[in-house]
Amino acid sequence: DIQMTQSPSSLSASIGDRVTITCRASQNISHYLHWYQQQPGKAPRLLIYSASTLQRGVPSRFRGSGSGTDFTLTISSLQPEDFTTYHCQQSYSALGDVFGQGTKLEIK
Amino acid sequence: EVRLVQSRAEVKKPGDFLKISCKASGYRFIGNWIGWVRQMPGKGLEWMGIIYPDDSDARYSPSFQGQVIISVDKSTNTAYLQWRSLKASDTAMYFCARQGDIAGPPFDYWGQGTLVTVSS
């Protein structure tokens, strides 16, 4: 079974900062890793799919990278609406963890 | 425009039956897998299972196998999630989501969520 470890669980930053969130898989998942943003009380929104492809309509300050077991989501020049929760998801296998534990991004 | 519209919030008692729905529009319903995701209060997302509407092929997470049933009605473009006997621990927000036609594939469209509260 695949284990997904997302870190950090919470992160404080300021508007205009650059931040990085990491997702690590316990085995090789190739590029089958996606990132979502979730505002409080709302459904998740797809940001990045297949590790590094920006979903239509998502601002270019969001960037995904990685392959195999280690992946990162980088947000450059944080905007006020970016302070919310981010989730990673692997679509390689339904056995084990599909989603990471989530990262809450807060204003410093 | 692709839309997934879920049924309203439910308040139930332990042992009750419940079936919630997810009505799709704006795309060819039978051509995309639809999944269900649980989010317990203050917690992360959990993948419950997925179904292919064209042939009702359903796959479940081992954590939810035998606990819920995922089904579809092709005539109304609607997916369902049901429990035969609810438990207090089923209290959560439940999202349906469409698996996209893009590489991965990720969940590219989501319903607004259905809050299920189970309390005696």
Side-chain angles (χ1 to χ4, degrees), chain B residues 1-3 16 20 27 31 38 42 50 53-54 56 58 66 69 75 77 88-89 91 101 103-104 107 120:
Chain B
E1 177 197 6
V2 174
R3 291 192 73 199
D16 281 355
I20 62 174
Y27 72 99
R38 183 175 79 174
I50 202 160
D54 196 22
S56 291
I69 296 172
S75 69
N77 289 0
S89 57
T91 294
D101 299 314
F107 288 125
S120 54

Side-chain angles (χ1 to χ4, degrees), chain B:
Chain B
E1 177 197 6
V2 174
R3 291 192 73 199
L4 299 175
V5 179
Q6 296 185 229
S7 48
R8 61 175 174 79
E10 301 273 3
V11 179
K12 293 290 187 181
K13 291 183 167 25
D16 281 355
F17 170 89
L18 177 63
K19 191 172 186 177
I20 62 174
S21 65
C22 170
K23 184 169 176 60
S25 61
Y27 72 99
R28 185 169 169 264
F29 178 66
I30 60 172
N32 292 75
W33 292 80
I34 286 191
W36 287 93
V37 175
R38 183 175 79 174
Q39 188 167 38
M40 299 179 78
K43 302 297 185 183
L45 304 173
E46 298 173 89
W47 188 93
M48 302 176 71
I50 202 160
I51 190 165
Y52 192 62
D54 196 22
D55 59 7
S56 291
D57 179 11
R59 318 274 176 88
Y60 296 88
S61 161
S63 299
F64 292 93
Q65 180 84 48
Q67 308 304 308
V68 296
I69 296 172
I70 296 172
S71 61
V72 294
D73 181 343
K74 288 192 288 187
S75 69
T76 59
N77 289 0
T78 304
Y80 297 96
L81 178 67
Q82 77 176 59
W83 295 259
R84 288 205 175 100
S85 179
L86 285 162
K87 301 186 281 285
S89 57
D90 293 318
T91 294
M93 180 72 84
Y94 294 87
F95 295 101
C96 64
R98 186 189 85 155
Q99 201 165 69
D101 299 314
I102 47 183
F107 288 125
D108 61 353
Y109 288 92
W110 293 68
Q112 82 277 18
T114 296
L115 180 62
V116 174
T117 303
V118 184
S119 174
S120 54

Side-chain angles (χ1 to χ4, degrees), chain A residues 63-78:
Chain A
R63 187 172 73 88
S65 63
S67 66
T69 60
D70 293 309
F71 302 86
T72 59
L73 171 69
T74 299
I75 313 170
S76 58
S77 190
L78 282 167

Side-chain angles (χ1 to χ4, degrees), chain A residues 31-90:
Chain A
H31 60 280
Y32 295 100
L33 191 286
H34 322 295
W35 292 97
Y36 302 85
Q37 178 191 66
Q38 187 180 23
Q39 300 286 355
K42 301 290 189 183
R45 168 199 180 198
L46 178 64
L47 297 176
I48 304 279
Y49 62 93
S50 293
S52 60
T53 305
L54 197 66
Q55 173 68 337
R56 279 193 314 269
V58 175
S60 58
R61 64 181 179 272
F62 292 91
R63 187 172 73 88
S65 63
S67 66
T69 60
D70 293 309
F71 302 86
T72 59
L73 171 69
T74 299
I75 313 170
S76 58
S77 190
L78 282 167
Q79 299 300 300
E81 61 269 27
D82 299 337
F83 292 90
T84 189
T85 301
Y86 295 86
H87 306 275
C88 64
Q89 179 220 346
Q90 60 84 10

